[in-house]
Amino acid sequence: MGDMANSSIEFHPKPQQQREAPHAGGFGCTLAELRSLMELRGAEALQKVQEAYGDVSGLCRRLKTSPTEGLADNANDLEKRRQIYGQNFIPPKQPKTFLQLVWEALQDVTLIILEVAAIVSLGLSFYAPPGEESEAKKQDGAVAMEMQPLKSAEGGEMEEREKKKASVPKKEKSVLQGKLTKLAVQIGKAGLVMSAITVIILVLYFVIETFVVKGQVWLAECTPVYVQYFVKFFIIGVTVLVVAVPEGLPLAVTISLAYSVKKMMKDNNLVRHLDACETMGNATAICSDKTGTLTTNRMTVVQSYLGDTHYKEIPAPSALTPKILDLLVHAISINSAYTSKILPPEKEGALPRQVGNKTECALLGFVLDLKRDFQPVRERIPEDKLYKVYTFNSVRKSMSTVIRMPDGGFRLFSKGASEILLKKCTNILNSNGELRSFRPRDRDDMVKKIIEPMACDGLRTICIAYRDFSAAQEPDWENENEVVGDLTCIAIVGIEDPVRPEVPEAIRKCQRAGITVRMVTGDNINTARAIAAKCGIIQPGEDFLCLEGKEFNRRIRNEKGEIEQERLDKVWPKLRVLARSSPTDKHTLVKGIIDSTTGEQRQVVAVTGDGTNDGPALKKADVGFAMGIAGTDVAKEASDIILTDDNFTSIVKAVMWGRNVYDSISKFLQFQLTVNVVAVIVAFTGACITQDSPLKAVQMLWVNLIMDTFASLALATEPPTDSLLLRKPYGRDKPLISRTMMKNILGHAVYQLTIIFTLLFVGELFFDIDSGRNAPLHSPPSEHYTIIFNTFVMMQLFNEINARKIHGERNVFHGIFGNPIFCTIVLGTFAIQIVIVQFGGKPFSCSPLSTEQWLWCLFVGVGELVWGQVIATIPTSQLKCLKEAGHGPGKDEMTDEELAEGEEEIDHAERELRRGQILWFRGLNRIQTQIRVVKAFRSSLYEGLEKPESKTSIHNFMATPEFLINDYTHNIPLIDDTDVDENEERLRAPPPPSPNQNNNAIDSGIYLTTHGTKSATSSVFSSRPGSPLHSVETSL
């Protein structure tokens, strides 16, 4: 608050109204008082300050701080302040304990089924009939219990879900998670039914065979034997259930997302919410900022209009009249944030470093190119000598500074959007540096001959002007419209922000991938269109729209000023460029696209943003991208992914990773469901025919381990390829299991079942060994059933290679060596299988096999690859009987609890965002409420926007704060007036300590011009390294 008081103390001091009361620690204000003060808003807060402290300067005195110098560099004093007021940072959220994560993981429906089965199986394992061994059953129970920790990874996912609830507003449930949950429940129910039927059939068969066919009587001494049979039947049922229940699905999702998130970090994507990674794969639209995202954000002046001459290159200083050159240097040096500067390059041969607002840096660089220096001017006229500053905002799109001249008069320097500032110019400097009349007709000629050609070259045009006031005619400085008028134009400059060289190719990839890229910028419409053409967003001959913010609002609003979805649906499909837009326009566009029902599928929208006011749009979007370099803390907090390099190409990589996650889960599903179908049918059929499962309980659990944990690691860690961007987005309604995948699942299941049943019923004849069917209760392991088990596992290993391709590709080995995890798991599983078969013995129900038998098992396994080629030959279109599976839950399936949970997420997120330096952010979250309030005023909205009042000046606020806040309160509901939001930010955000007497350091970028809304909202509050604001944001 020190710098906020800055201007009021220097220019408009108020007497201290109350005597300062002593407080603990020697300070006149307690932590509780400061906290309660931060909870107040507007006039109420100002009244509290005046009543308790006299004015802002009184508060500063109580806190023993200087409004100009900040805190003294005294280690003891700083430590004392830390002890009394605490450290200046937001404490991290308390992490959950391991036991909490385990408990949350145990709430999963899939795990609950396994928990019940494991507890029953474990309990039965302790039952030992007289004279019988129960070792095998103990192992069954132990292995069943062993499966539970595998799902503890789910806790990580749940933690992420909790974090999401705590930090972002309501978004629809992750598409992939919704589909998987529904599919897992369906499969689990089917498995439960199958296991129950298996147990019932086994029990009935035994009872009928024993007591009806053979006519035996239940004897008391035979009870232990009968109970042992029932225990065996129940364990077979549990085995069927464990194999059928796809507990590996959540694990596969977590592994795939976690792996992708880690790899995405190398691609400059810092993922804050796991589900955003998957959602990005379904993106159909990207609304991107221009400056710094599509462009390099290193601006330079390349063209200028000085002294009636249009220079296509930097003019030689000798070509300019000394008066024009001197005025230009002073206008740029003084009427810019003093925090913006050009520093020497860090490395020899590199470009000079631009610190602060990039547009102002371009102008300062122009001064240096003219062989002049801005620093001596600033040293001669420091910030505290500036008489008045009208900071930049996105409505008037200009910034003005007043200085007192030696003769007692005043000089105003102004810069801003050329087409706006030129309307306020009545004179222009000619080639001799003399004033020449500048009429509306001259302005129209300049727009056509100078400004439009510059804009069509993709340049941002800025007008630089000045006005002199004599000492006798000092104006009313609070009437900004009158002060900033009757100007004399010094120059028009064209600033280039080059398109990043890699962006056009990245946008072509997006378009090939079925993603529409839209540019949302505050720039001039011609500049925006030119940049869009260079990027490839718009193509010659295409049917597209390029609109300015006002025209966009005119098209989508009715006579009452209300947004109509029907009108919006006529605009957004063709819209490619939205220029001169405000953050509210961006939010309106994003919400309109998401809420639209015109297409076959709901649009999935990604949005980039860097400014504080971009928060609502970032949160409304399916995936919000914040800029890691230029982005504010509020924008990052509202985002799902942070681009650490602010580069559009990183978004394309995020799309690729998102699609890869989806495909990885589909690969895993294709593999797992094949194993599920075969294992369940084999266990069920075998048990019903032979009263025993060909695959023993421990063997089934080993297979379960293969197809769940190992397969999750192997298939969920496949690296992405460029081919992922050659198809359209799947969409939210795309089923997880396509018809092609269903063909592969059923096709391979047929092959495996044929082999298994052939081995089961005639295998002993083929291998000339003893039959394992109808063996006594505790007979030793047979070669016959060991061959069946080994063959089954070999077929799964080779089918895992087939599962790498889900779109009917023939070359299943393509890129296999690019995934060392896959190769390691396949080879490792094979090695463990050799150990189990050869040395597992009775615990694994295995008998060692000969080399010949091993070769036959391998031969049948390799047959899976050949059979896969046969399946790929069959056209999916010919198999009309195949159905897709894995659709997501519909709207009607959303429970009241889930909907209520969404509301809680909004409230919780809002409460989180109110803390600390971003308490004022709640106003942005209530835009929709404000829209309803202002309906009656929409007809006169834009007229009001064209006439900004002097309230936008920080100095004016300091002079008459009571008037400003009351006036501000009445203007809260404005839709397109981002000036209001910015003023709110300036009033509430504590500025950094600096000798800045006019708050220019805070509004250092605000300053800018045709940067439009982006400059005002994004640049102003950008955390630029090296700036005072950056340090404040970082520490807060």
Side-chain angles (χ1 to χ4, degrees), residues 239-251:
T239 302
V240 172
L241 176 62
V242 169
V243 173
V245 172
E247 70 273 19
L249 281 182
L251 179 63

Side-chain angles (χ1 to χ4, degrees), residues 116 230 243 312 330 349 433 493 530 610 701 711 745 755 761 954 975:
V116 173
F230 292 146
V243 173
K312 294 295 183 74
H330 278 75
V493 296
D610 55 8
L701 291 172
I745 291 170
I755 296 295
F761 295 109
I954 295 293
I975 305 303

Side-chain angles (χ1 to χ4, degrees), residues 24 35 60 69 80 140 413 422 424 447 509 592 689 706 719 771 835 844:
R35 184 181 293 118
C60 291
E69 302 297 331
K80 180 180 178 182
D140 291 346
F413 293 113
L422 279 178
K424 300 181 180 181
V447 169
K509 288 181 179 179
I689 295 177
I706 294 174
S771 173
V835 173
F844 283 91

Side-chain angles (χ1 to χ4, degrees), residues 868-907:
Q869 298 300 310
V870 175
I871 295 175
T873 306
I874 303 173
T876 306
S877 57
Q878 300 297 320
L879 303 174
K880 303 292 184 182
C881 58
L882 293 180
K883 301 295 182 182
E884 298 168 326
H887 294 271
K891 275 190 177 179
D892 55 339
E893 298 178 48
M894 293 287 285
T895 64
D896 294 338
E897 289 77 5
E898 286 175 314
L899 296 175
E901 180 185 7
E903 294 300 324
E904 291 172 6
E905 287 178 4
I906 297 176
D907 297 337

Side-chain angles (χ1 to χ4, degrees), residues 131-160:
E132 299 291 343
E133 292 292 334
S134 58
E135 180 183 357
K137 290 189 284 298
K138 288 181 182 176
Q139 289 163 349
D140 291 346
V143 178
M145 287 297 291
E146 206 173 15
M147 293 304 296
Q148 295 185 50
L150 296 179
K151 272 298 298 311
S152 64
E154 173 76 344
E157 182 189 7
M158 289 196 171
E159 183 184 17
E160 289 296 329

Side-chain angles (χ1 to χ4, degrees), residues 627-674:
M627 302 296 109
I629 300 173
T632 63
D633 284 351
V634 174
K636 294 174 184 176
E637 186 69 19
S639 68
D640 300 294
I641 300 175
I642 298 175
L643 300 179
T644 57
D645 62 347
D646 291 11
N647 196 332
F648 184 85
T649 55
S650 298
I651 300 177
V652 180
K653 293 175 182 175
V655 172
M656 196 158 63
W657 276 107
R659 294 189 174 188
N660 188 65
V661 166
Y662 204 96
D663 277 9
S664 294
I665 301 306
S666 295
K667 293 172 184 177
F668 171 74
L669 270 177
Q670 178 174 293
F671 173 71
Q672 188 188 45
L673 293 184
T674 303

